[in-house]
Amino acid sequence: MKRIILFLFLFLHIFAFSQESAAKHNDTLVYNSGMRRVVTIDYINYPTIYFFTTNSKNKEVSSNVAINKLKYYVDYDSTGVLVKPAEIVGTETTDSSGIILITDTVIVSENLLSVNPFSPFMLGLNISYMHRFGYQKRVAMHVPFRIFTLYGKGLLVNTGIGINYMAYNSKHTSFYAGISSQIFAFDRYAVLGFPITIGFVRNLTERMTINAYGGVGPYIGHPDLNLPLVGDVHVGIGFKLGEQFKITNTYKK
């Protein structure tokens, strides 16, 4: 029995030591210059991060850095679980020509589903879906879907697919522009339209937004449809879904 207890004690000790060793130097500091440094963050006393790192003589030493010198940092706890880093906003740097640049970091979600809360009162459904991808998540696939019964006087359905470009992202509001190809099916007519839209996303909470956009564009289809252009309008409550990403904006002061 004593041998079993001794064996378990040694096993747990070795396992704990290996976990502690594996967790060392998994944290990362990314400086405004672009330099990446692998460290072990000890603690953060805002606005300073205190950490351990290995010097050129392969010895572990303690050091610190001001948060405003970093683009962002990655911090893991002792069990290897990612600790969400604080946003580093308002960082100032100066380029070679002396122009002051401001760097902001913004958290964005991969998916945004928006629903117009008033559409049920029109006996319909008005939703918009965006999936962000690409560098800095600035491009989004856009899928609108609307169906209305027009209070029993007819049926309107339109849906399609398009591309949005997120031209500006901030902590509070993002602005975008896009173009899509959509089928507009009226009571007796069906046409293919190409509306060009502009819109914005206003953050309410970490996971909720207000999403609104509108625009018009040409169409091809039924010649009896007496409309110069077709329109695409949406205002809704948005829900951020899926994985979240940190993107960086740099602009002149």
Side-chain angles (χ1 to χ4, degrees):
M1 186 66 180
K2 291 182 178 180
R3 291 181 178 179
I4 294 175
I5 294 174
L6 180 61
F7 173 78
L8 290 175
F9 175 79
L10 291 174
F11 175 79
L12 292 174
H13 180 75
I14 293 172
F15 177 77
F17 178 78
S18 64
Q19 290 293 99
E20 182 180 354
S21 298
K24 279 181 176 291
H25 302 321
N26 282 332
D27 306 328
T28 305
L29 306 178
V30 180
Y31 290 76
N32 293 324
S33 62
M35 181 183 73
R36 305 175 70 91
R37 193 174 187 183
V38 179
V39 301
T40 298
I41 294 178
D42 186 19
Y43 65 95
I44 300 173
N45 185 13
Y46 191 84
T48 306
I49 297 179
Y50 296 85
F51 60 90
F52 296 101
T53 188
T54 302
N55 63 14
S56 58
K57 297 180 180 180
N58 204 30
K59 291 184 178 181
E60 189 172 75
V61 295
S62 61
S63 186
N64 62 79
V65 63
I67 286 180
N68 63 6
K69 293 183 178 180
L70 304 175
K71 285 186 177 179
Y72 65 92
Y73 63 90
V74 179
D75 184 15
Y76 293 85
D77 65 16
S78 59
T79 64
V81 176
L82 179 64
V83 178
K84 183 179 179 181
E87 294 183 27
I88 304 173
V89 297
T91 301
E92 293 190 7
T93 57
T94 304
D95 66 7
S96 57
S97 61
I99 297 175
I100 297 177
L101 303 175
I102 307 296
T103 300
D104 284 341
T105 54
V106 183
I107 303 296
V108 300
S109 292
E110 189 174 42
N111 303 291
L112 176 64
L113 178 65
S114 177
V115 180
N116 185 311
F118 304 105
S119 55
F121 298 102
M122 299 178 64
L123 303 180
L125 181 63
N126 184 345
I127 64 177
S128 173
Y129 169 75
M130 284 196 294
H131 173 74
R132 299 179 66 155
F133 61 93
Y135 176 71
Q136 297 275 29
K137 302 297 178 183
R138 290 189 178 274
V139 181
M141 178 185 70
H142 177 219
V143 179
F145 178 79
R146 291 166 193 80
I147 180 170
F148 294 105
T149 62
L150 303 179
Y151 297 106
K153 296 180 180 180
L155 184 66
L156 167 62
V157 179
N158 88 275
T159 186
I161 189 168
I163 290 291
N164 289 339
Y165 178 71
M166 316 303 290
Y168 173 80
N169 296 283
S170 74
K171 188 175 181 180
H172 303 291
T173 308
S174 298
F175 294 95
Y176 60 91
I179 184 171
S180 60
S181 59
Q182 300 183 31
I183 296 175
F184 293 81
F186 301 91
D187 190 25
R188 294 178 296 165
Y189 310 113
V191 299
L192 180 63
F194 305 92
I196 299 172
T197 56
I198 58 173
F200 69 88
V201 177
R202 175 71 179 183
N203 296 319
L204 299 178
T205 67
E206 185 176 345
R207 288 289 183 176
M208 292 187 65
T209 68
I210 294 177
N211 183 20
Y213 68 84
V216 295
Y219 68 92
I220 55 176
H222 204 291
D224 293 337
L225 184 62
N226 190 23
L227 289 175
L229 300 168
V230 290
D232 185 16
V233 178
H234 173 81
V235 178
I237 301 298
F239 303 92
K240 296 180 180 179
L241 307 173
E243 189 174 356
Q244 292 190 321
F245 298 87
K246 177 173 285 188
I247 64 174
T248 303
N249 293 322
T250 301
Y251 53 91
K252 295 180 182 179
K253 186 172 181 180

